[in-house]
Amino acid sequence: MLQKRIIDIETEAKQALTIIKTLPQLEEWEVTYLGRKSALNEILKNLKNLTTEEKRIVGPLGNAVKQRLFQSLATAREAFMEQSIDWDAQAIDVTAPGVFCRDGHLHPITRLTYEIEDIFSSLGFSLADGPEVESEWYNFDALNVPADHPARDMQDTFWLASSESKQKTRNKKQERYLLRTQTSAVQVRYMETHKPPFRIIIPGRIFRNEATDVSHEHTFHQFECLMVDEPGKVSVATFKYIAETFFSSFFGKKVNVRLRPSFFPFTEPSFEFDISCVLCGASGCPVCKQSGWLEIGGAGMVHQKVFEAAGYKRGQYQGFAWGFGLTRLAMMKYKITDIRLLMSGDLRFIRQF
Ligand code: FA5
């Protein structure tokens, strides 16, 4: 009796399918014949009330009919989809002009950073890094710049509001935080966890609370170089050689380096260093103000107090450090006349590189 009912359901469902004209009608058909409350589903749900003998016949038959109805539904749905596609509208016009898609590219500062890293890595230097939000200790104290020393005013600082932390510094005063004013802040961080000999470069973004003009930014990039070894193995001459090799490779022509006496609390002796003007070949031009030299950065032999702050013994090691403004170097390389353009985010400017 149930067998006949199932076969009748299948016959009725297939007949109903032949007169369906739209997709909503097909959905209705699905609910009627295959839905949760459909007659076929009711029969299958109540199988448990049948005798074992009946179950053996009704179960497989009910499931087979269900499968066949699902198959019919899929075929009908596919036919409806085919009909609903407007093939003419889908045709591709191969003569239509393409949509222009502009390529992205690296920012000139990023490109220069990679270029400089490549040159230094060919000279055996490895890369080091540090946080932009730095403690007063690494940015100043560890670099031999005491709190009340006028040298701290050489670099105007962005202090972090409520930067008084619960942590005490090594000299027992409250630790304060700032936006690092120089990549030199990474020196002691690195030395605390590494033993000489080593040679590293530290590229990075730094911040100074100063008024901006064509050659001064509040946010710019520096490049630091630190080489430390036993006494007698690293000297000012080593620095000069590395600097000349680097700048010659960077500018693709022979560049000379000149040192002038200067003062940095973390180096002794300290220098400002210039390179021979790459624009006029040191013969004198408006860019080098007819001097034949371009000011590049600061340098010196690492002060023994800096080594001590890192946990090395006084006199145990010797090394040089130098740092230069990467942003100013980019200006020279690409002949950019206003430093503020580089961080302006103005795509008309950036797209020229
Ligand atoms: C320093 O920052 C030292 N940390 C450099 C150093 C490293 C000395 C290791 C000794 C040993 P200074 O403040 O002079 O030094 O800055 C270095 C370079 O950053 C400058 O020569 C200049 O090229 C660049 N610079 C400084 N201020 C600005 C600014 N406001 N905008 C753009 N570039 C700047």
Side-chain angles (χ1 to χ4, degrees):
M1 164 108 156
L2 274 176
Q3 261 171 282
K4 177 156 185 331
R5 174 85 188 103
I6 293 171
I7 290 163
D8 286 349
I9 290 173
E10 184 176 17
T11 314
E12 186 192 316
K14 287 198 167 159
Q15 258 171 15
L17 201 57
T18 57
I19 55 165
I20 280 176
K21 300 252 168 349
T22 64
L23 214 49
Q25 282 174 356
L26 186 63
E27 276 158 18
E28 225 173 276
W29 180 92
E30 184 183 1
V31 174
T32 311
Y33 294 102
L34 288 164
R36 243 177 346 112
K37 291 185 184 155
S38 63
L40 182 59
N41 216 35
E42 286 296 325
I43 294 171
L44 290 171
K45 248 195 318 196
N46 291 319
L47 274 184
K48 56 181 182 299
N49 302 326
L50 304 181
T51 63
T52 318
E53 191 58 28
E54 283 172 324
K55 270 186 209 162
R56 213 173 278 147
I57 300 166
V58 174
L61 177 66
N63 281 319
V65 168
K66 196 173 175 183
Q67 286 305 314
R68 285 200 291 271
L69 291 184
F70 267 120
Q71 189 54 51
S72 304
L73 172 70
T75 312
R77 191 175 274 149
E78 211 170 291
F80 272 115
M81 300 299 249
E82 290 260 329
Q83 281 168 22
S84 64
I85 297 173
D86 179 352
W87 291 105
D88 283 343
Q90 296 293 316
I92 296 168
D93 177 2
V94 290
T95 62
V99 179
F100 177 68
C101 182
R102 197 188 279 274
D103 283 349
H105 64 79
L106 294 175
H107 189 280
I109 292 286
T110 312
R111 221 170 46 213
L112 275 196
T113 306
Y114 290 166
E115 220 174 278
I116 296 173
E117 282 171 8
D118 277 353
I119 299 172
F120 274 111
S121 101
S122 73
L123 294 170
F125 283 76
S126 46
L127 206 60
D129 197 11
E132 289 178 349
V133 173
E134 187 52 282
S135 72
E136 188 177 12
W137 165 260
Y138 287 112
N139 196 82
F140 287 129
D141 302 80
L143 292 174
N144 191 33
V145 191
D148 51 357
H149 196 284
R152 200 166 286 212
D153 300 334
M154 284 163 71
Q155 297 168 358
D156 297 315
T157 308
F158 287 112
W159 293 97
L160 264 69
S162 59
S163 67
E164 298 280 322
S165 91
K166 299 201 167 38
Q167 215 179 319
K168 301 260 185 193
T169 56
R170 282 138 246 237
N171 53 9
K172 303 282 184 285
K173 74 179 165 59
Q174 295 289 337
E175 185 89 295
R176 291 195 298 163
Y177 289 90
L178 45 82
L179 294 183
R180 67 177 177 194
T181 61
Q182 49 187 346
T183 42
S184 303
V186 184
Q187 285 189 19
V188 170
R189 270 188 182 281
Y190 184 87
M191 289 195 278
E192 277 176 344
T193 51
H194 295 80
K195 267 193 154 295
F198 59 75
R199 47 179 88 179
I200 55 165
I201 45 167
I202 310 156
R205 190 165 59 154
I206 65 144
F207 311 85
R208 293 193 188 173
N209 189 1
E210 51 182 80
T212 62
D213 60 27
V214 289
S215 57
H216 292 84
E217 254 292 18
H218 50 70
T219 302
F220 58 99
H221 290 75
Q222 277 192 340
F223 223 96
E224 187 96 357
C225 187
L226 179 67
M227 184 168 174
V228 181
D229 207 327
E230 286 163 7
K233 291 199 173 163
V234 185
S235 65
V236 175
T238 326
F239 154 65
K240 194 162 179 283
Y241 171 77
I242 298 270
E244 280 181 349
T245 308
F246 163 69
F247 285 110
S248 299
S249 173
F250 180 76
F251 286 109
K253 56 173 90 159
K254 175 82 184 96
V255 171
N256 294 317
V257 168
R258 171 176 90 166
L259 306 183
R260 288 176 287 113
S262 184
F263 170 76
F264 294 101
F266 35 93
T267 46
E268 179 57 36
S270 302
F271 312 98
E272 294 282 345
F273 68 93
D274 307 332
I275 59 169
S276 49
C277 182
V278 283
L279 296 162
C280 62
S283 60
C285 69
V287 176
C288 63
K289 299 188 188 88
Q290 309 304 330
S291 71
W293 295 96
L294 296 168
E295 290 180 21
I296 294 288
M301 298 304 288
V302 180
H303 201 295
Q304 288 298 325
K305 284 200 172 161
V306 176
F307 286 146
E308 283 180 328
Y312 299 168
K313 280 205 200 86
R314 180 170 272 269
Q316 193 181 5
Y317 297 112
Q318 193 170 313
F320 68 76
W322 49 294
F324 56 86
L326 178 64
T327 316
R328 294 242 177 104
L329 210 61
M331 290 173 78
M332 271 176 219
K333 180 126 178 167
Y334 296 124
K335 302 189 177 59
I336 298 165
T337 49
D338 190 333
I339 193 171
R340 292 166 295 191
L341 287 167
L342 278 156
M343 288 288 137
S344 65
D346 187 338
L347 291 178
R348 291 168 307 173
F349 168 75
I350 297 297
R351 280 183 185 138
Q352 296 174 58
F353 298 93

